[in-house]
Amino acid sequence: IETRPMRRVDAVEAGLDYWIDETDLEKERQRRIATKNRKSMEGEISKQKLREEVVAPYKQNWIGVFSVLMVVLSTIVTKFPETMQIPVIPIPDL
């Protein structure tokens, strides 16, 4: 009588010679799915908080406001140079 192993020797060394119980396998799958769902819900950011974080850099952008103000003022001075002329107010001699 000749006997042969069901798995090769290298498979046994790799740990592939074990029995899998279907109920334990299903329990393990359910546990992994539950853990994955719990982790995804923990890391979820509410839409309100996400909106606040996206808008925050633009709310207090004083450098940007100052830059736009300077561009607007320089455009006004360039297009209408007469606005920069100082009017001469005659002071009467008393």
Side-chain angles (χ1 to χ4, degrees):
I1 295 180
E2 182 180 346
T3 59
R4 291 187 181 193
M6 295 288 286
R7 295 210 178 251
R8 298 186 327 221
V9 175
D10 60 343
V12 173
E13 290 175 1
L16 299 176
D17 61 336
Y18 54 87
W19 174 262
I20 298 175
D21 188 18
E22 290 295 325
T23 57
D24 289 341
L25 179 64
E26 188 61 33
K27 286 179 186 177
E28 180 67 22
R29 283 184 185 159
Q30 293 296 329
R31 188 182 64 78
R32 285 187 184 182
I33 290 171
T35 303
K36 181 180 174 186
N37 288 341
R38 186 177 68 240
K39 284 183 180 177
S40 67
M41 290 186 70
E42 287 174 357
E44 189 174 320
I45 301 174
S46 67
K47 290 191 181 279
Q48 181 66 23
K49 185 174 181 180
L50 181 63
R51 180 181 302 271
E52 288 174 5
E53 288 183 9
V54 168
V55 174
Y58 303 104
K59 279 189 174 180
Q60 301 208 0
N61 191 3
W62 296 109
I63 295 174
V65 171
F66 186 73
S67 300
V68 170
L69 181 64
M70 296 309 291
V71 168
V72 168
L73 289 177
S74 64
T75 304
I76 290 172
V77 168
T78 306
K79 296 293 181 180
F80 307 105
E82 63 274 0
T83 58
M84 292 304 292
Q85 292 177 354
I86 300 174
V88 177
I89 301 174
I91 300 176
D93 288 335
L94 294 178

